[in-house]
Amino acid sequence: MLTDTPLPFGEWLRRRRKSLDLTQGQLAQRIHCSLTTIKRLETGDLVPSRQLAELIAGVLAVPFAEQAAFSAFARTPGATAPLDAYQAAPPVSTAPVQHFHLPAPLTGLIGRERDVQAACELLLKPHVRLVTFTGPPGTGKTRLSLAVADQLQARFRDGACFVPLAPIGDPTLVVSAIAQALDIRESAGQELRTVVREFLRNKHLVLVLDNFEQVLPAASLVVEVLTAAREVKAVVTSRAVLQVYGEYEFPVPPLQLPDIHHLPPVPALEHYSAVELFVERAQAVKPRFELIEANARPIAEICAWLDGLPLAIEMAAAQIRWHPPPLLLAQLKSRLETLIDGPRDLTPRQQTLRGAIAWSHDLLTAAERNLFNHLAVFVESCTAQAATAVWGEHEADHTLWLLRGLVDKSLIRVESHGGMAERFAMLETIREYAQEQLAAAGLIAAARQRHADYFLQRLEALSPYVRRGNERQIATLA
């Protein structure tokens, strides 16, 4: 068939893929979707989402000016186009331009397809220059940043560069880490900061700065580099936002969990990303392991008990070698005591669940740590007023300011309920650590007593409204 013969999108995609010498699996890997998705696209059984169409356009080197038309073609049933449509002239190779170091992950990325697409879409907006991936310990921010950088590097002339900052504690050394990753040599008579800035001035790349939370004062360097280098975009992973002008926060949530009170059948349960990750990592140590009716409930409960945190789930799944799921669930009554055998190639703080949380805890100020530890007495969420009463040291305004700081550092989350007061909550895994710290300080009994006194007073205040059935006033006071 001649190249100018109109083709439906599925056939067009199949032929374009083959002309670029890509297998279906390779294309799926580059746009971070399943092999089944590619097969369904090529047979015409699936219409791509807008985000997926844009990712395909990037991998197939569709010229930027034609990407809107390409997306419409891909997403319009019955639309046709010749094979030579949407080609750059001269053709652009789809191979990543990787002049710099981008680590190759040893495992697949599970449950983050939508996150990858959304992050790529955000970063490709012309006005977006700095995106910070935030989230609690163990959510997989680094892994997601690598997938996004891998996806985007074909769209940037100079590819992507990964800068590991976890080993650094001194903010002044960040510039040296960036220089090392970019293979920049110091120049006599020039400050290294200036050399890095000038080197990047004409570069078109994605700069990934991993584990930024312990070097936050270096945020000014990031702004300085981006201001000087118009075509550089930065992806930062951090448990705390940088709080600089132009920053876009991209929260990385835990993996999707099933409702353990209304557990779906096994075939449906396999599609929850937390369960899928557990099964895949369990098969790494026990190849014949599979999700079946007999182990479905304990596996789902393990994932829920671990809050859907990828790091915790991976550590737990590795213990399938020794314990079947029901016994493992019982062993995990104390998450922090059980999850202590992370992979040896990870940093020490990632080899235990306690170490991962302690890393964030140790970066807090004394007041933040004290308040954070006291929040352990709340089983679910609390208001700033309740937290102030249990902490017993400061006014509500000061407590609220500190609580919002803990939100910024990804240790707690804020929940809004219409016009009601903000409520603050933490993952149960993190709460267990806070409770340990409160007990170690000898403060847990006093905190629990203040907790009981506060809610007794609340109940007494609510009693007149309960008798009158004033639900709005009850909600306000609670």
Side-chain angles (χ1 to χ4, degrees):
M1 189 178 290
L2 298 176
T3 59
D4 60 353
T5 302
L7 302 170
F9 175 70
E11 181 63 19
W12 183 96
L13 178 62
R14 186 183 72 83
R15 295 189 179 209
R16 175 60 61 84
R17 171 180 60 76
K18 286 191 171 185
S19 72
L20 296 170
D21 199 27
L22 291 173
T23 66
Q24 288 180 323
Q26 289 170 331
L27 180 57
Q29 184 178 27
R30 292 194 181 183
I31 63 175
H32 297 282
C33 71
S34 68
L35 177 60
T36 301
T37 297
I38 298 300
K39 290 180 177 178
R40 292 184 64 196
L41 287 171
E42 293 190 354
T43 58
D45 291 337
L46 178 68
V47 174
S49 65
R50 181 168 57 86
Q51 294 91 340
L52 184 57
E54 290 175 354
L55 291 173
I56 293 172
V59 171
L60 299 185
V62 174
F64 185 79
E66 297 183 45
Q67 287 184 9
F70 173 82
S71 180
F73 162 55
R75 302 186 65 231
T76 304
T80 60
L83 182 60
D84 58 3
Y86 310 115
Q87 287 198 51
V92 178
S93 170
T94 60
V97 182
Q98 192 167 354
H99 299 304
F100 306 111
H101 177 54
L102 196 60
L106 299 179
T107 58
L109 183 64
I110 292 176
R112 297 299 189 193
E113 293 83 1
R114 291 183 179 180
D115 293 323
V116 171
Q117 290 181 15
C120 288
E121 183 181 39
L122 178 61
L123 281 156
L124 287 173
K125 292 181 178 179
H127 63 280
V128 176
R129 305 285 310 288
L130 169 62
V131 175
T132 302
F133 291 178
T134 61
T139 51
K141 297 180 290 294
T142 297
R143 187 66 181 82
L144 178 62
S145 74
L146 286 172
V148 170
D150 180 60
Q151 181 66 62
L152 288 177
Q153 61 180 344
R155 305 286 294 272
F156 286 75
R157 184 183 65 248
D158 298 301
C161 179
F162 183 80
V163 184
L165 299 175
I168 296 173
D170 184 351
T172 64
L173 296 179
V174 171
V175 66
S176 299
I178 296 174
Q180 182 176 358
L182 294 170
D183 198 25
I184 296 174
R185 299 290 182 265
E186 290 194 55
S187 178
Q190 270 194 308
E191 186 182 10
L192 186 57
R193 194 178 185 113
T194 303
V195 175
V196 168
R197 188 176 63 241
E198 292 303 312
F199 177 86
L200 290 171
R201 187 178 298 278
N202 296 315
K203 291 292 184 290
H204 182 228
L205 61 81
V206 178
L207 188 65
V208 182
L209 303 170
D210 186 46
N211 289 118
F212 209 92
E213 60 269 3
Q214 79 283 5
V215 290
L216 284 174
S220 59
L221 171 65
V222 179
V223 173
E224 183 181 322
V225 165
L226 294 179
T227 302
R230 289 179 173 271
E231 293 189 290
V232 171
K233 298 202 176 192
V235 173
V236 176
T237 73
S238 177
R239 298 182 190 180
V241 292
L242 274 59
Q243 294 185 337
V244 296
Y245 187 73
E247 177 184 28
Y248 285 76
E249 183 179 2
F250 191 96
V252 181
L255 295 176
Q256 184 186 23
L257 290 166
D259 182 353
I260 60 173
H261 301 297
H262 302 91
L263 208 61
V266 170
L269 191 60
E270 292 177 322
H271 295 292
Y272 286 88
S273 53
V275 175
E276 184 183 359
L277 177 65
F278 182 95
V279 172
E280 182 184 281
R281 297 299 187 261
Q283 289 172 343
V285 298
K286 198 172 184 178
R288 295 184 180 179
F289 181 85
E290 60 181 343
L291 181 69
I292 57 176
E293 194 68 38
N295 63 23
R297 175 160 290 281
I299 288 175
E301 290 184 358
I302 287 170
C303 293
W305 182 248
L306 299 176
D307 295 313
L309 292 173
L311 178 63
I313 290 172
E314 290 185 353
M315 289 182 180
Q319 298 195 25
I320 285 295
R321 177 190 289 132
W322 317 111
H323 307 300
L327 181 56
L328 177 57
L329 178 59
Q331 294 279 340
L332 285 169
K333 183 178 181 182
S334 173
R335 309 166 181 85
L336 303 181
E337 292 293 333
T338 305
L339 301 180
I340 57 174
D341 295 316
R344 294 175 182 172
D345 58 320
L346 296 180
T347 60
R349 65 183 175 85
Q350 294 173 306
Q351 292 178 7
T352 69
L353 185 58
R354 179 183 282 109
I357 301 172
W359 171 261
S360 291
H361 185 263
D362 292 345
L363 293 174
L364 301 177
T365 65
E368 287 173 331
R369 280 197 299 270
N370 198 350
L371 174 58
F372 169 79
N373 296 343
H374 277 80
L375 295 178
V377 301
F378 294 98
V379 176
E380 294 184 352
S381 61
C382 68
T383 62
Q385 184 180 7
T388 301
V390 169
W391 189 19
E393 290 193 22
H394 294 283
E395 295 297 324
D397 286 347
H398 183 232
T399 304
L400 180 60
W401 181 74
L402 290 174
L403 285 168
R404 289 175 176 171
L406 292 174
V407 171
D408 286 342
K409 294 174 174 64
S410 303
L411 282 170
I412 64 175
R413 64 181 185 274
V414 64
E415 300 173 347
S416 298
H417 301 279
M420 305 303 176
E422 294 173 319
R423 300 188 69 87
F424 300 87
M426 62 173 64
L427 296 175
E428 284 299 306
T429 305
I430 295 177
R431 179 173 171 261
E432 184 176 319
Y433 180 86
Q435 192 167 328
E436 274 191 356
Q437 300 303 306
L438 193 63
L443 300 174
I444 195 164
R448 285 174 174 166
Q449 184 60 56
R450 288 193 294 270
H451 180 275
D453 292 343
Y454 173 78
F455 282 101
L456 179 60
Q457 292 172 6
R458 293 287 88 195
L459 285 172
E460 292 172 348
L462 286 171
S463 57
Y465 302 101
V466 172
R467 287 193 293 271
R468 291 201 294 266
N470 190 333
E471 294 181 2
R472 181 169 182 80
Q473 188 65 33
I474 291 169
T476 302
L477 290 173

